[in-house]
Amino acid sequence: MDNLKKKFYEKSTELKGEIKALLKEHGNAKVDEVTLAQVFGGARGIKMMIWEPSSLDPVEGIRFRGYTIPELRQLLPKGVCGEEPRPEGLFWLLMTGEIPTAEDVNWLTGQWASRSHVPDYVFQALDALPKDTHPMTQFIIAISALQNDSVFAKRYAEGLDKSEYWDPSYEDTMNLIARLPRVAAYIYRRSFHHDQHINPDFSLDWSANFAHMLGHSDADFQKLMRLYLTIHADHEGGNASAHTTHLVGSTLSDAYLSFAGGMSALAGPLHGLANQEVIGWIFNMLDTLGTHSPDKAQIEKYVNDTLAAGMVVPGYGHAVLRRPDPRFIAQKEFAERNINGDPIVEVVWKIFDVVPGILEGLGKVKNPWPNVDAHSGALLVHYGMKEYEFYTVLFGVSRALGVLASHCWSRALGMPLERPKSLTYKWVKEEFLKLS
Ligand code: HAX
Protein backbone atom coordinates (compact mmCIF):
# COMPACT_ATOMS: atom_id res chain seq x y z
CA MET A 1 0.00 0.00 0.00
CA ASP A 2 1.39 3.43 -0.89
CA ASN A 3 2.31 5.86 1.88
CA LEU A 4 -0.54 8.31 1.28
CA LYS A 5 -3.11 5.52 1.19
CA LYS A 6 -1.63 3.98 4.35
CA LYS A 7 -1.67 7.30 6.22
CA PHE A 8 -5.22 7.99 5.07
CA TYR A 9 -6.36 4.54 6.20
CA GLU A 10 -4.73 4.86 9.63
CA LYS A 11 -6.08 8.34 10.28
CA SER A 12 -9.58 7.63 9.04
CA THR A 13 -9.80 4.38 11.01
CA GLU A 14 -8.80 6.24 14.17
CA LEU A 15 -11.35 9.01 13.57
CA LYS A 16 -14.08 6.52 12.76
CA GLY A 17 -13.56 4.93 16.18
CA GLU A 18 -13.61 8.34 17.88
CA ILE A 19 -16.82 9.35 16.15
CA LYS A 20 -18.50 6.10 17.16
CA ALA A 21 -17.65 6.73 20.81
CA LEU A 22 -18.69 10.40 20.56
CA LEU A 23 -22.09 9.57 19.11
CA LYS A 24 -22.68 6.89 21.72
CA GLU A 25 -22.17 9.44 24.46
CA HIS A 26 -23.42 12.69 22.88
CA GLY A 27 -25.57 11.57 19.96
CA ASN A 28 -28.58 13.55 21.21
CA ALA A 29 -26.71 16.82 21.74
CA LYS A 30 -28.17 19.77 19.78
CA VAL A 31 -25.83 21.39 17.22
CA ASP A 32 -28.24 23.89 15.72
CA GLU A 33 -31.74 25.28 15.62
CA VAL A 34 -33.39 25.88 12.27
CA THR A 35 -35.61 28.89 11.56
CA LEU A 36 -38.38 29.19 9.04
CA ALA A 37 -36.28 31.84 7.22
CA GLN A 38 -33.51 29.26 6.78
CA VAL A 39 -35.97 26.66 5.48
CA PHE A 40 -37.20 29.12 2.85
CA GLY A 41 -33.78 30.73 2.39
CA GLY A 42 -31.60 28.08 0.82
CA ALA A 43 -30.67 26.35 4.12
CA ARG A 44 -28.09 29.13 4.81
CA GLY A 45 -25.85 28.34 7.73
CA ILE A 46 -27.57 25.15 8.91
CA LYS A 47 -24.93 22.88 10.42
CA MET A 48 -25.67 19.47 8.95
CA MET A 49 -22.65 17.58 7.65
CA ILE A 50 -19.07 16.58 8.42
CA TRP A 51 -16.44 17.86 6.00
CA GLU A 52 -12.86 17.14 6.99
CA PRO A 53 -10.66 18.95 4.43
CA SER A 54 -11.52 22.60 5.16
CA SER A 55 -13.64 25.02 7.15
CA LEU A 56 -14.90 28.50 6.34
CA ASP A 57 -15.14 31.43 8.72
CA PRO A 58 -17.32 34.35 7.55
CA VAL A 59 -14.68 36.94 8.49
CA GLU A 60 -11.38 35.12 8.22
CA GLY A 61 -12.24 33.04 5.15
CA ILE A 62 -11.05 29.56 4.28
CA ARG A 63 -8.72 27.37 6.31
CA PHE A 64 -7.49 24.14 4.74
CA ARG A 65 -6.96 21.69 7.60
CA GLY A 66 -6.48 24.69 9.88
CA TYR A 67 -4.08 26.59 7.60
CA THR A 68 -4.90 29.93 5.93
CA ILE A 69 -3.91 30.61 2.31
CA PRO A 70 -0.97 32.89 3.31
CA GLU A 71 0.29 30.14 5.63
CA LEU A 72 0.04 27.51 2.91
CA ARG A 73 1.88 29.75 0.45
CA GLN A 74 4.75 29.56 2.92
CA LEU A 75 4.49 25.98 4.16
CA LEU A 76 3.59 23.76 1.20
CA PRO A 77 6.38 22.53 -1.09
CA LYS A 78 6.68 24.93 -4.01
CA GLY A 79 7.08 24.56 -7.74
CA VAL A 80 10.30 25.30 -9.59
CA CYS A 81 9.32 28.97 -9.53
CA GLY A 82 10.09 28.82 -5.80
CA GLU A 83 7.07 30.99 -5.03
CA GLU A 84 3.69 29.29 -5.24
CA PRO A 85 2.61 26.00 -3.60
CA ARG A 86 2.07 22.85 -5.60
CA PRO A 87 -1.55 21.65 -5.44
CA GLU A 88 -0.26 18.08 -5.05
CA GLY A 89 0.88 19.19 -1.58
CA LEU A 90 -2.52 20.63 -0.80
CA PHE A 91 -4.19 17.34 -1.73
CA TRP A 92 -1.82 15.46 0.58
CA LEU A 93 -2.73 17.89 3.36
CA LEU A 94 -6.47 17.53 2.72
CA MET A 95 -6.21 13.74 2.80
CA THR A 96 -3.99 13.42 5.87
CA GLY A 97 -4.05 16.68 7.82
CA GLU A 98 -0.24 16.79 7.50
CA ILE A 99 1.99 19.15 5.54
CA PRO A 100 3.87 16.89 3.11
CA THR A 101 7.58 16.91 2.39
CA ALA A 102 8.95 17.78 -1.04
CA GLU A 103 9.58 14.05 -1.49
CA ASP A 104 5.91 13.22 -0.76
CA VAL A 105 4.82 15.80 -3.30
CA ASN A 106 7.21 14.52 -5.96
CA TRP A 107 5.87 11.03 -5.35
CA LEU A 108 2.30 12.29 -5.84
CA THR A 109 3.22 14.05 -9.09
CA GLY A 110 4.66 10.76 -10.33
CA GLN A 111 1.58 8.82 -9.20
CA TRP A 112 -0.77 11.13 -11.04
CA ALA A 113 1.43 10.98 -14.14
CA SER A 114 1.34 7.17 -14.06
CA ARG A 115 -2.46 7.13 -13.65
CA SER A 116 -3.22 9.84 -16.22
CA HIS A 117 -4.01 7.76 -19.32
CA VAL A 118 -7.40 8.75 -20.76
CA PRO A 119 -9.09 6.04 -22.86
CA ASP A 120 -9.81 6.91 -26.49
CA TYR A 121 -13.56 6.50 -26.08
CA VAL A 122 -13.57 9.54 -23.78
CA PHE A 123 -12.04 11.68 -26.52
CA GLN A 124 -14.46 10.13 -29.03
CA ALA A 125 -17.40 11.03 -26.78
CA LEU A 126 -16.15 14.62 -26.74
CA ASP A 127 -15.55 14.65 -30.49
CA ALA A 128 -19.18 13.62 -31.06
CA LEU A 129 -20.36 16.91 -29.53
CA PRO A 130 -20.84 20.16 -31.45
CA LYS A 131 -17.72 22.33 -31.11
CA ASP A 132 -19.69 25.10 -29.45
CA THR A 133 -20.94 22.85 -26.63
CA HIS A 134 -20.12 24.73 -23.44
CA PRO A 135 -16.78 23.53 -22.02
CA MET A 136 -18.42 22.70 -18.67
CA THR A 137 -20.96 20.48 -20.44
CA GLN A 138 -18.07 18.76 -22.25
CA PHE A 139 -16.22 18.39 -18.94
CA ILE A 140 -19.20 16.75 -17.24
CA ILE A 141 -19.70 14.38 -20.19
CA ALA A 142 -16.00 13.42 -20.17
CA ILE A 143 -16.03 12.75 -16.41
CA SER A 144 -19.14 10.60 -16.84
CA ALA A 145 -17.48 8.73 -19.73
CA LEU A 146 -14.43 8.06 -17.54
CA GLN A 147 -16.75 6.34 -15.05
CA ASN A 148 -16.49 3.17 -17.11
CA ASP A 149 -13.16 2.68 -15.32
CA SER A 150 -14.53 3.06 -11.80
CA VAL A 151 -12.86 0.61 -9.44
CA PHE A 152 -15.55 1.25 -6.81
CA ALA A 153 -18.44 0.47 -9.19
CA LYS A 154 -16.73 -2.73 -10.33
CA ARG A 155 -15.88 -3.95 -6.84
CA TYR A 156 -19.33 -3.02 -5.52
CA ALA A 157 -20.94 -5.07 -8.29
CA GLU A 158 -18.72 -8.01 -7.29
CA GLY A 159 -19.85 -7.63 -3.65
CA LEU A 160 -17.94 -5.20 -1.45
CA ASP A 161 -17.76 -5.20 2.34
CA LYS A 162 -18.79 -1.80 3.81
CA SER A 163 -15.51 -1.55 5.68
CA GLU A 164 -13.70 -1.63 2.32
CA TYR A 165 -15.52 1.28 0.63
CA TRP A 166 -12.65 3.64 1.32
CA ASP A 167 -10.14 1.59 -0.69
CA PRO A 168 -11.68 1.72 -4.22
CA SER A 169 -12.85 5.28 -3.45
CA TYR A 170 -9.21 6.22 -2.95
CA GLU A 171 -8.22 4.49 -6.20
CA ASP A 172 -11.01 6.23 -8.16
CA THR A 173 -10.08 9.58 -6.63
CA MET A 174 -6.41 9.23 -7.54
CA ASN A 175 -7.21 8.05 -11.08
CA LEU A 176 -9.80 10.75 -11.71
CA ILE A 177 -7.64 13.62 -10.44
CA ALA A 178 -4.75 12.28 -12.52
CA ARG A 179 -6.85 12.35 -15.69
CA LEU A 180 -8.64 15.67 -15.31
CA PRO A 181 -5.89 17.96 -16.67
CA ARG A 182 -5.62 15.89 -19.87
CA VAL A 183 -9.40 15.92 -20.34
CA ALA A 184 -9.67 19.65 -19.58
CA ALA A 185 -6.80 20.52 -21.92
CA TYR A 186 -8.37 18.39 -24.67
CA ILE A 187 -11.64 20.33 -24.31
CA TYR A 188 -9.77 23.64 -24.43
CA ARG A 189 -7.72 22.78 -27.53
CA ARG A 190 -10.76 21.26 -29.25
CA SER A 191 -13.04 24.21 -28.54
CA PHE A 192 -10.61 27.06 -29.12
CA HIS A 193 -7.46 25.82 -30.90
CA HIS A 194 -8.67 23.84 -33.93
CA ASP A 195 -8.07 20.43 -32.28
CA GLN A 196 -4.34 21.02 -32.11
CA HIS A 197 -3.73 18.86 -29.06
CA ILE A 198 -0.54 18.84 -27.04
CA ASN A 199 0.87 15.67 -25.47
CA PRO A 200 1.67 15.67 -21.75
CA ASP A 201 5.18 16.35 -20.52
CA PHE A 202 5.69 14.23 -17.41
CA SER A 203 8.96 15.91 -16.53
CA LEU A 204 6.79 18.80 -15.26
CA ASP A 205 4.79 19.05 -12.06
CA TRP A 206 1.00 18.56 -12.19
CA SER A 207 0.16 22.26 -12.69
CA ALA A 208 2.98 22.96 -15.15
CA ASN A 209 2.07 19.92 -17.23
CA PHE A 210 -1.55 21.10 -17.30
CA ALA A 211 -0.42 24.58 -18.41
CA HIS A 212 1.79 22.94 -21.06
CA MET A 213 -1.11 20.84 -22.44
CA LEU A 214 -3.30 23.95 -22.53
CA GLY A 215 -0.62 25.56 -24.69
CA HIS A 216 0.16 28.35 -22.21
CA SER A 217 3.45 27.14 -20.93
CA ASP A 218 5.50 30.19 -20.00
CA ALA A 219 6.90 30.06 -16.48
CA ASP A 220 4.64 32.79 -15.09
CA PHE A 221 1.48 31.06 -16.31
CA GLN A 222 2.72 27.82 -14.71
CA LYS A 223 3.25 29.73 -11.48
CA LEU A 224 -0.27 31.17 -11.71
CA MET A 225 -1.68 27.67 -12.29
CA ARG A 226 -0.01 26.41 -9.09
CA LEU A 227 -1.67 29.17 -7.09
CA TYR A 228 -4.98 28.90 -8.97
CA LEU A 229 -5.28 25.13 -8.59
CA THR A 230 -4.41 25.40 -4.89
CA ILE A 231 -6.79 28.17 -3.82
CA HIS A 232 -9.87 26.93 -5.71
CA ALA A 233 -9.62 23.40 -4.30
CA ASP A 234 -12.04 23.52 -1.40
CA HIS A 235 -14.39 25.89 0.45
CA GLU A 236 -15.84 23.67 3.18
CA GLY A 237 -18.77 21.34 2.49
CA GLY A 238 -21.82 23.59 2.20
CA ASN A 239 -21.09 25.21 -1.19
CA ALA A 240 -23.11 23.80 -4.06
CA SER A 241 -20.37 21.83 -5.87
CA ALA A 242 -19.05 20.30 -2.65
CA HIS A 243 -22.44 19.56 -1.22
CA THR A 244 -23.65 18.02 -4.48
CA THR A 245 -20.60 15.76 -4.69
CA HIS A 246 -21.21 14.80 -1.07
CA LEU A 247 -24.93 14.13 -1.60
CA VAL A 248 -24.43 12.04 -4.74
CA GLY A 249 -21.58 10.14 -3.08
CA SER A 250 -23.81 9.31 -0.12
CA THR A 251 -25.89 7.09 -2.41
CA LEU A 252 -22.67 5.10 -3.05
CA SER A 253 -22.39 6.52 -6.54
CA ASP A 254 -18.66 6.33 -7.28
CA ALA A 255 -16.23 9.24 -7.34
CA TYR A 256 -16.79 9.85 -11.09
CA LEU A 257 -20.57 10.19 -10.90
CA SER A 258 -20.39 12.14 -7.66
CA PHE A 259 -17.87 14.58 -9.12
CA ALA A 260 -19.87 14.92 -12.36
CA GLY A 261 -22.84 15.95 -10.19
CA GLY A 262 -20.66 18.45 -8.33
CA MET A 263 -19.49 19.92 -11.63
CA SER A 264 -23.10 20.43 -12.76
CA ALA A 265 -23.51 22.58 -9.66
CA LEU A 266 -20.25 24.42 -10.30
CA ALA A 267 -21.51 25.26 -13.80
CA GLY A 268 -24.23 27.58 -12.42
CA PRO A 269 -23.72 31.37 -12.68
CA LEU A 270 -24.27 31.96 -8.97
CA HIS A 271 -21.41 29.52 -8.26
CA GLY A 272 -18.38 28.63 -10.39
CA LEU A 273 -19.62 30.03 -13.68
CA ALA A 274 -19.31 33.45 -12.02
CA ASN A 275 -15.64 33.46 -13.11
CA GLN A 276 -16.79 33.43 -16.74
CA GLU A 277 -19.56 35.94 -15.99
CA VAL A 278 -17.13 38.41 -14.40
CA ILE A 279 -14.83 38.70 -17.38
CA GLY A 280 -17.74 38.73 -19.86
CA TRP A 281 -19.32 41.54 -17.83
CA ILE A 282 -16.02 43.50 -17.79
CA PHE A 283 -15.51 43.08 -21.57
CA ASN A 284 -19.11 44.25 -22.16
CA MET A 285 -18.52 47.23 -19.92
CA LEU A 286 -15.39 48.24 -21.84
CA ASP A 287 -17.23 47.79 -25.15
CA THR A 288 -20.23 49.81 -23.96
CA LEU A 289 -18.05 52.59 -22.56
CA GLY A 290 -15.70 52.50 -25.55
CA THR A 291 -12.54 52.57 -23.42
CA HIS A 292 -10.01 50.18 -21.87
CA SER A 293 -9.42 52.54 -19.01
CA PRO A 294 -12.78 53.61 -17.57
CA ASP A 295 -12.79 56.03 -14.64
CA LYS A 296 -14.61 55.28 -11.41
CA ALA A 297 -17.66 57.38 -12.33
CA GLN A 298 -18.09 55.40 -15.56
CA ILE A 299 -17.77 52.09 -13.68
CA GLU A 300 -20.27 53.30 -11.07
CA LYS A 301 -22.81 54.06 -13.79
CA TYR A 302 -22.28 50.68 -15.45
CA VAL A 303 -22.74 48.87 -12.12
CA ASN A 304 -25.93 50.82 -11.42
CA ASP A 305 -27.22 49.97 -14.91
CA THR A 306 -26.54 46.27 -14.24
CA LEU A 307 -28.48 46.43 -10.99
CA ALA A 308 -31.30 48.45 -12.57
CA ALA A 309 -31.65 45.70 -15.21
CA GLY A 310 -32.34 43.25 -12.36
CA MET A 311 -29.01 41.44 -12.66
CA VAL A 312 -26.35 40.69 -10.05
CA VAL A 313 -22.84 42.11 -10.14
CA PRO A 314 -20.81 38.96 -10.80
CA GLY A 315 -17.84 38.26 -8.54
CA TYR A 316 -19.37 40.11 -5.59
CA GLY A 317 -21.27 38.76 -2.61
CA HIS A 318 -21.13 35.44 -0.84
CA ALA A 319 -23.46 33.17 1.08
CA VAL A 320 -20.99 32.77 3.97
CA LEU A 321 -18.14 35.31 3.70
CA ARG A 322 -18.56 38.78 5.17
CA ARG A 323 -15.16 40.23 4.18
CA PRO A 324 -13.10 40.34 0.96
CA ASP A 325 -12.38 36.72 0.04
CA PRO A 326 -8.79 35.71 0.95
CA ARG A 327 -8.69 33.94 -2.43
CA PHE A 328 -9.36 37.33 -4.10
CA ILE A 329 -6.62 38.88 -1.96
CA ALA A 330 -4.15 36.10 -2.85
CA GLN A 331 -4.76 36.71 -6.56
CA LYS A 332 -4.47 40.49 -6.11
CA GLU A 333 -1.11 39.99 -4.38
CA PHE A 334 -0.01 37.70 -7.20
CA ALA A 335 -0.86 40.44 -9.71
CA GLU A 336 0.89 43.11 -7.65
CA ARG A 337 4.02 40.98 -7.54
CA ASN A 338 4.07 39.64 -11.10
CA ILE A 339 2.09 41.92 -13.37
CA ASN A 340 2.75 45.54 -14.20
CA GLY A 341 0.15 47.92 -15.61
CA ASP A 342 -2.26 45.40 -17.13
CA PRO A 343 -5.43 47.27 -18.22
CA ILE A 344 -7.91 44.53 -17.23
CA VAL A 345 -6.23 43.97 -13.85
CA GLU A 346 -6.42 47.74 -13.27
CA VAL A 347 -10.14 47.66 -14.11
CA VAL A 348 -10.68 44.80 -11.60
CA TRP A 349 -9.01 46.91 -8.91
CA LYS A 350 -11.11 49.99 -9.77
CA ILE A 351 -14.26 47.83 -9.60
CA PHE A 352 -13.09 46.74 -6.14
CA ASP A 353 -13.00 50.43 -5.14
CA VAL A 354 -16.48 51.12 -6.48
CA VAL A 355 -18.77 48.09 -6.10
CA PRO A 356 -18.80 47.44 -2.31
CA GLY A 357 -20.16 50.93 -1.59
CA ILE A 358 -22.92 50.55 -4.17
CA LEU A 359 -23.95 47.10 -2.96
CA GLU A 360 -23.89 48.28 0.65
CA GLY A 361 -26.17 51.15 -0.37
CA LEU A 362 -28.82 48.65 -1.56
CA GLY A 363 -29.37 47.73 2.07
CA LYS A 364 -30.03 44.05 1.39
CA VAL A 365 -26.72 42.56 0.23
CA LYS A 366 -25.15 40.75 3.20
CA ASN A 367 -21.65 40.74 1.76
CA PRO A 368 -20.68 43.57 -0.60
CA TRP A 369 -17.10 42.33 -1.00
CA PRO A 370 -15.42 40.51 -3.92
CA ASN A 371 -15.26 36.72 -3.99
CA VAL A 372 -12.69 34.44 -5.66
CA ASP A 373 -14.21 34.90 -9.11
CA ALA A 374 -13.79 38.69 -9.20
CA HIS A 375 -10.08 38.43 -9.94
CA SER A 376 -9.24 35.13 -11.59
CA GLY A 377 -10.28 36.02 -15.16
CA ALA A 378 -8.10 39.14 -15.34
CA LEU A 379 -5.02 37.06 -14.52
CA LEU A 380 -5.85 34.48 -17.17
CA VAL A 381 -6.50 37.17 -19.80
CA HIS A 382 -3.17 38.76 -18.92
CA TYR A 383 -1.32 35.53 -19.73
CA GLY A 384 -3.19 35.10 -23.00
CA MET A 385 -6.02 32.76 -22.02
CA LYS A 386 -8.88 34.93 -23.23
CA GLU A 387 -11.46 32.19 -23.92
CA TYR A 388 -13.46 32.83 -20.79
CA GLU A 389 -16.08 30.15 -21.43
CA PHE A 390 -13.34 27.74 -20.36
CA TYR A 391 -12.61 29.33 -16.97
CA THR A 392 -15.05 27.26 -14.92
CA VAL A 393 -13.34 24.06 -16.17
CA LEU A 394 -10.09 25.31 -14.61
CA PHE A 395 -11.99 25.89 -11.38
CA GLY A 396 -13.42 22.36 -11.67
CA VAL A 397 -10.01 20.71 -12.06
CA SER A 398 -8.96 22.37 -8.82
CA ARG A 399 -12.24 21.70 -7.00
CA ALA A 400 -11.68 17.97 -7.58
CA LEU A 401 -8.91 18.01 -4.98
CA GLY A 402 -11.16 19.10 -2.14
CA VAL A 403 -14.42 17.38 -2.95
CA LEU A 404 -12.79 14.06 -3.81
CA ALA A 405 -10.62 14.13 -0.69
CA SER A 406 -13.85 14.57 1.23
CA HIS A 407 -15.50 11.80 -0.82
CA CYS A 408 -12.75 9.44 0.42
CA TRP A 409 -13.26 10.60 4.00
CA SER A 410 -17.03 10.11 3.80
CA ARG A 411 -16.65 6.53 2.59
CA ALA A 412 -13.92 5.80 5.14
CA LEU A 413 -16.03 7.18 7.99
CA GLY A 414 -19.03 5.17 6.82
CA MET A 415 -21.22 8.25 6.24
CA PRO A 416 -24.80 7.19 5.48
CA LEU A 417 -27.20 8.17 2.72
CA GLU A 418 -27.98 11.89 3.05
CA ARG A 419 -31.71 12.43 3.36
CA PRO A 420 -32.93 15.65 4.98
CA LYS A 421 -36.63 16.45 5.44
CA SER A 422 -38.73 18.62 3.15
CA LEU A 423 -41.93 20.46 4.10
CA THR A 424 -44.98 21.57 2.16
CA TYR A 425 -46.30 25.11 2.49
CA LYS A 426 -49.57 23.59 3.75
CA TRP A 427 -47.63 22.06 6.65
CA VAL A 428 -45.95 25.40 7.39
CA LYS A 429 -49.30 27.23 7.42
CA GLU A 430 -50.91 24.67 9.69
CA GLU A 431 -47.95 24.66 12.03
CA PHE A 432 -47.31 28.40 12.30
CA LEU A 433 -50.42 30.22 11.18
CA LYS A 434 -52.79 27.64 12.59
CA LEU A 435 -54.69 27.72 9.30
CA SER A 436 -56.04 24.76 7.45
N1 HAX B 1 -25.18 41.87 -7.01
C1 HAX B 1 -26.46 42.24 -6.85
N2 HAX B 1 -27.26 41.78 -5.88
C2 HAX B 1 -26.72 40.91 -5.01
C3 HAX B 1 -25.38 40.50 -5.08
C4 HAX B 1 -24.60 41.00 -6.14
N3 HAX B 1 -23.34 40.61 -6.34
N4 HAX B 1 -25.14 39.65 -4.07
C5 HAX B 1 -26.30 39.52 -3.39
N5 HAX B 1 -27.25 40.27 -3.96
C6 HAX B 1 -28.66 40.36 -3.60
C7 HAX B 1 -29.30 39.00 -3.73
O1 HAX B 1 -29.63 38.72 -5.09
C8 HAX B 1 -30.51 39.13 -2.83
O2 HAX B 1 -31.45 39.92 -3.51
P1 HAX B 1 -33.04 39.61 -3.35
O3 HAX B 1 -33.33 39.70 -1.89
O4 HAX B 1 -33.68 40.67 -4.17
O5 HAX B 1 -33.25 38.23 -3.89
C9 HAX B 1 -29.95 39.98 -1.67
O6 HAX B 1 -28.81 40.68 -2.22
C10 HAX B 1 -29.50 39.18 -0.47
O7 HAX B 1 -28.58 38.20 -0.90
P2 HAX B 1 -27.42 37.71 0.10
O8 HAX B 1 -28.08 37.09 1.28
O9 HAX B 1 -26.46 38.80 0.34
O10 HAX B 1 -26.65 36.64 -0.79
P3 HAX B 1 -27.01 35.12 -1.02
O11 HAX B 1 -26.41 34.30 0.06
O12 HAX B 1 -28.47 34.93 -1.26
O13 HAX B 1 -26.30 34.84 -2.42
C11 HAX B 1 -24.54 34.89 -3.98
C12 HAX B 1 -24.92 34.71 -2.52
C13 HAX B 1 -23.08 34.56 -4.16
C14 HAX B 1 -25.38 33.94 -4.83
C15 HAX B 1 -24.81 36.36 -4.39
O14 HAX B 1 -24.01 37.22 -3.62
C16 HAX B 1 -24.59 36.62 -5.86
O15 HAX B 1 -25.51 36.39 -6.66
N6 HAX B 1 -23.37 37.08 -6.28
C17 HAX B 1 -23.06 37.28 -7.68
C18 HAX B 1 -22.70 35.96 -8.35
C19 HAX B 1 -21.37 35.44 -7.86
O16 HAX B 1 -20.38 36.14 -7.82
N7 HAX B 1 -21.32 34.15 -7.51
C20 HAX B 1 -20.08 33.49 -7.07
C21 HAX B 1 -20.05 33.29 -5.56
C22 HAX B 1 -18.78 32.62 -5.09
C23 HAX B 1 -18.69 31.23 -5.62
O17 HAX B 1 -19.46 30.35 -5.32
N8 HAX B 1 -17.77 31.01 -6.50
O18 HAX B 1 -17.69 29.83 -7.17
Side-chain angles (χ1 to χ4, degrees):
M1 192 185 292
D2 70 58
N3 202 19
L4 176 60
K5 192 171 180 179
K6 186 163 165 284
K7 261 183 198 289
F8 171 70
Y9 175 64
E10 287 165 359
K11 283 175 185 282
S12 57
T13 307
E14 192 185 328
L15 186 59
K16 192 176 178 185
E18 260 185 54
I19 291 174
K20 199 171 169 197
L22 173 98
L23 289 179
K24 197 167 170 211
E25 178 119 5
H26 301 288
N28 288 326
K30 284 216 165 103
V31 228
D32 215 346
E33 282 181 24
V34 178
T35 65
L36 205 47
Q38 286 173 303
V39 170
F40 278 92
R44 287 293 178 289
I46 300 173
K47 300 185 182 83
M48 52 74 70
M49 78 177 101
I50 291 294
W51 190 269
E52 282 299 282
S54 68
S55 61
L56 182 61
D57 180 83
V59 174
E60 192 191 46
I62 190 70
R63 275 183 184 262
F64 299 98
R65 291 284 187 173
Y67 296 100
T68 62
I69 288 174
E71 286 166 351
L72 289 181
R73 285 173 98 178
Q74 293 302 319
L75 292 172
L76 286 177
K78 299 182 175 61
V80 283
C81 60
E83 286 172 43
E84 300 300 345
R86 282 162 69 181
E88 296 94 314
L90 183 79
F91 180 72
W92 184 288
L93 174 69
L94 300 183
M95 288 292 282
T96 65
E98 291 176 7
I99 299 279
T101 62
E103 197 188 327
D104 295 331
V105 166
N106 286 337
W107 171 83
L108 195 45
T109 307
Q111 267 294 304
W112 287 349
S114 69
R115 293 170 182 255
S116 66
H117 174 74
V118 175
D120 273 350
Y121 57 78
V122 175
F123 298 130
Q124 284 159 13
L126 289 172
D127 288 339
L129 299 169
K131 274 271 166 68
D132 62 353
T133 304
H134 192 279
M136 274 306 275
T137 309
Q138 298 189 50
F139 193 48
I140 293 158
I141 287 168
I143 296 160
S144 304
L146 281 166
Q147 191 268 347
N148 194 41
D149 270 355
S150 169
V151 182
F152 183 93
K154 185 166 176 287
R155 286 191 49 196
Y156 192 87
E158 287 163 3
L160 182 62
D161 191 301
K162 277 181 177 187
S163 65
E164 297 284 308
Y165 289 169
W166 70 274
D167 185 316
S169 299
Y170 173 88
E171 295 303 328
D172 279 354
T173 289
M174 292 285 278
N175 291 338
L176 177 51
I177 291 174
R179 292 164 186 189
L180 288 175
R182 178 89 169 101
V183 161
Y186 190 91
I187 293 166
Y188 178 66
R189 302 295 300 178
R190 152 169 214 271
S191 297
F192 306 110
H193 291 274
H194 312 289
D195 277 311
Q196 288 165 348
H197 298 291
I198 301 170
N199 285 326
D201 176 351
F202 295 126
S203 69
L204 301 169
D205 63 57
W206 191 64
S207 313
N209 183 33
F210 185 24
H212 158 78
M213 289 188 286
L214 290 167
H216 293 275
S217 56
D218 66 89
D220 279 347
F221 187 80
Q222 293 179 358
K223 183 161 69 174
L224 173 65
M225 277 299 99
R226 290 187 192 101
L227 177 68
Y228 189 106
L229 297 171
T230 298
I231 64 175
H232 285 79
D234 207 30
H235 218 223
E236 74 158 39
N239 70 79
S241 53
H243 188 199
T244 307
T245 307
H246 177 79
L247 169 67
V248 178
S250 84
T251 71
L252 298 186
S253 269
D254 56 61
Y256 296 87
L257 296 177
S258 304
F259 184 60
M263 289 302 94
S264 296
L266 194 74
L270 295 187
H271 190 18
L273 201 82
N275 64 6
Q276 155 182 331
E277 295 290 296
V278 166
I279 212 73
W281 180 79
I282 290 176
F283 284 161
N284 274 336
M285 170 166 72
L286 301 183
D287 266 2
T288 308
L289 299 174
T291 171
H292 274 87
S293 182
D295 61 29
K296 288 186 187 170
Q298 287 174 304
I299 296 176
E300 211 169 285
K301 181 175 178 326
Y302 193 78
V303 170
N304 283 323
D305 288 349
T306 300
L307 293 170
M311 296 186 285
V312 294
V313 179
Y316 281 76
H318 201 274
V320 178
L321 289 171
R322 296 297 176 255
R323 305 289 285 179
D325 190 332
R327 300 171 299 176
F328 174 89
I329 301 295
Q331 294 177 90
K332 185 164 181 286
E333 279 171 13
F334 182 96
E336 284 159 355
R337 211 181 302 156
N338 296 289
I339 296 174
N340 222 333
D342 180 283
I344 307 291
V345 171
E346 304 273 340
V347 170
V348 165
W349 294 352
K350 280 187 204 163
I351 294 171
F352 181 32
D353 287 338
V354 167
V355 166
I358 298 178
L359 291 183
E360 227 155 20
L362 296 179
K364 65 173 183 178
V365 181
K366 294 193 191 67
N367 175 41
W369 299 109
N371 57 56
V372 65
D373 302 314
H375 211 309
S376 53
L379 299 177
L380 296 168
V381 170
H382 173 80
Y383 291 112
M385 184 183 261
K386 300 196 167 99
E387 304 89 352
Y388 54 84
E389 281 200 338
F390 183 71
Y391 291 175
T392 313
V393 175
L394 286 181
F395 191 157
V397 171
S398 171
R399 187 47 58 103
L401 304 180
V403 301
L404 292 176
S406 187
H407 179 86
C408 290
W409 274 92
S410 296
R411 297 293 73 75
L413 296 177
M415 292 296 179
L417 177 74
E418 191 176 285
R419 191 11 176 131
K421 177 89 187 89
S422 66
L423 306 169
T424 62
Y425 186 60
K426 183 168 179 287
W427 182 92
V428 172
K429 270 205 303 193
E430 283 167 4
E431 190 72 14
F432 296 104
L433 304 178
K434 304 294 172 213
L435 300 172
S436 56

